[in-house]
Amino acid sequence: MIASVVARPTAGPSSPADEYIPLRLNDRERALLCVLEGALSVSEYTDRVDSVMAWRGARTGRAVEELQEMLAYMTGLAVAASLKVSHEPCLEANADVFREAFEVGRRFKGMNPDKMRASYGKLIYMLQDATAPDVIRELGFDPLSRVQTVHAELALLSCLDLLEEPELPLAASPAHSAEAADAKAAATARLLARFADGDAERAVRLERCLLSLADHACLVEAHVSPVDTMLRLLRTHFSPASTSVGPGGAASASLQITAGRGGARLSHSHASQYAYVEQSLLLWRAVLACRAELRRAPRRAPAEVCRAVGGRCSRSCPACGLSPRRTSSAAATGCAIRGRAATACRARQTSAS
């Protein structure tokens, strides 16, 4: 899977990555996002569920209690935000609202990696526990749903042909000047006139898809352009195989490193270090360009991810089919690889003493 992504280093507006590009939030979803973030800010889910004492006791019961408390917070905030929710005491009555709010949070994080830095991990731990059969049975519903994407929305509108339109790259590309912005607006208007069929609501939904593609293109450009700059500087000021003459005919500096000097931990010749730096930048560029697809990859092959982190998860995992392990406090906080790291650290401390 990684090889196929690296082989496709760019993901433009009309690339196969359209299947993974998240849909921009509308006004109702932004209100739900505020509700979710407010509830996450006051929830102490990870402090109470992932503590050592919780793992020694009935962890499932503690998780259910904290999830119910989280959902109660969300219900109160949704009522305060004038959102349509059921006032029945049964949490299951608002299952669709909770499910939508959790999906909105995951989608928003995919579009804005710099947001929800303190709360997103808590949300994911919470949803991982909520997928356990015992927890679903206690809650009365499954809180997970598919993340809405541009491809899925266009499929609902029967407008997948829009992705093949020659004007799409212009309508969904970043505009860096007034002329480019005018050309982009004109291309967008032509596409909407062609596919909306005079339906105002349909035009709004199609415009949302185009804006989502443009958001993704801007995000990819913002992530990839610094790496492209580093690659250009590397290839301009250094020669791949020689340190005597650079590409421009001027003397080229050496990238050679020696273990123990300047903080280096290994020795590389100039050619080896140049190849290492160039390959690292190219790989990182490919990862950043295909970030939307890579975020969805673990959902397609969870068993491979479990093997990559050591074979078993500390939380309930549909790939492993295992319940959470109770081997150590480190394992209780994340994946099993953290437990092995903590064990190795304690072993080093013991031998040092």
Side-chain angles (χ1 to χ4, degrees):
M1 186 274 297
I2 293 294
S4 64
V5 171
V6 174
R8 179 167 44 83
T10 58
S14 59
S15 72
D18 293 326
E19 184 180 351
Y20 309 99
I21 295 175
L23 197 62
R24 175 187 276 202
L25 272 59
N26 58 27
D27 292 340
R28 169 182 165 77
E29 290 169 344
R30 293 187 185 279
L32 280 174
L33 178 65
C34 291
V35 168
L36 177 65
E37 289 186 311
L40 287 172
S41 66
V42 298
S43 172
E44 298 180 354
Y45 183 88
T46 50
D47 296 334
R48 296 177 179 175
V49 174
D50 289 323
S51 65
V52 178
M53 294 304 296
W55 277 76
R56 290 177 179 173
R59 185 181 182 280
T60 300
R62 182 72 63 87
V64 171
E65 291 177 5
E66 294 300 320
L67 281 168
Q68 290 173 340
E69 185 174 313
M70 170 71 179
L71 298 179
Y73 291 154
M74 293 175 63
T75 302
L77 291 172
V79 171
S82 300
L83 294 173
K84 288 185 177 180
V85 295
S86 172
H87 296 275
E88 297 181 14
C90 178
L91 293 174
E92 189 177 355
N94 289 317
D96 292 337
V97 177
F98 299 142
R99 197 177 292 116
E100 184 181 4
F102 290 137
E103 184 274 330
V104 165
R106 291 158 57 210
R107 177 156 38 111
F108 178 77
K109 180 63 175 179
M111 299 188 311
N112 302 273
D114 58 320
K115 304 296 183 181
M116 299 180 70
R117 290 182 179 271
S119 58
Y120 188 71
K122 185 190 300 184
L123 172 64
I124 294 303
Y125 279 157
M126 191 179 299
L127 292 178
Q128 283 179 327
D129 290 339
T131 58
D134 293 344
V135 177
I136 292 177
R137 185 163 49 252
E138 292 292 333
L139 293 179
F141 66 94
D142 186 351
L144 285 183
S145 63
R146 285 184 174 273
V147 172
Q148 295 186 38
T149 62
V150 172
H151 190 277
E153 180 70 3
L154 290 176
L156 290 175
L157 295 171
S158 301
C159 290
L160 287 176
D161 292 341
L162 175 65
L163 298 175
E164 306 300 328
E165 284 291 319
E167 286 191 301
L168 180 62
L170 177 59
S173 61
H176 300 291
S177 64
E179 293 78 5
D182 292 340
K184 177 179 178 179
T188 300
R190 287 191 295 270
L191 289 174
L192 293 179
R194 194 174 309 156
F195 286 90
D197 298 330
D199 187 335
E201 182 180 353
R202 183 182 178 88
V204 170
R205 294 176 65 181
L206 286 172
E207 184 178 14
R208 184 185 179 195
C209 292
L210 293 176
L211 292 174
S212 301
L213 291 172
D215 292 343
H216 176 73
C218 291
L219 183 62
V220 169
E221 182 181 89
H223 286 171
V224 170
S225 58
V227 184
D228 286 337
T229 300
M230 292 298 297
L231 281 168
R232 184 172 63 254
L233 292 173
L234 174 69
R235 292 163 177 170
T236 300
H237 297 286
F238 298 95
S239 174
S242 172
T243 61
S244 57
V245 180
S252 176
S254 174
L255 293 175
Q256 180 177 347
I257 59 174
T258 303
R261 295 184 180 180
R265 293 293 182 268
L266 67 163
S267 298
H268 273 176
S269 65
H270 170 82
S272 297
Q273 183 66 7
Y274 182 96
Y276 172 77
V277 172
E278 184 179 43
Q279 290 172 6
S280 299
L281 290 173
L282 288 172
L283 175 61
W284 189 233
R285 182 186 186 279
V287 169
L288 292 174
C290 302
R291 194 181 60 85
E293 182 175 353
L294 290 173
R295 281 180 61 87
R296 299 290 295 276
R299 297 172 179 82
R300 298 201 312 268
E304 295 181 9
V305 176
C306 291
R307 286 195 293 270
V309 299
R312 295 187 177 186
C313 298
S314 64
R315 291 177 177 267
S316 298
C317 177
C320 298
L322 298 175
S323 58
R325 296 171 62 188
R326 302 179 180 179
T327 54
S328 66
S329 59
T333 62
C335 63
I337 194 171
R338 298 182 186 179
R340 295 198 302 274
T343 301
C345 181
R346 287 195 296 270
R348 290 194 297 270
Q349 293 174 350
T350 302
S351 59
S353 60

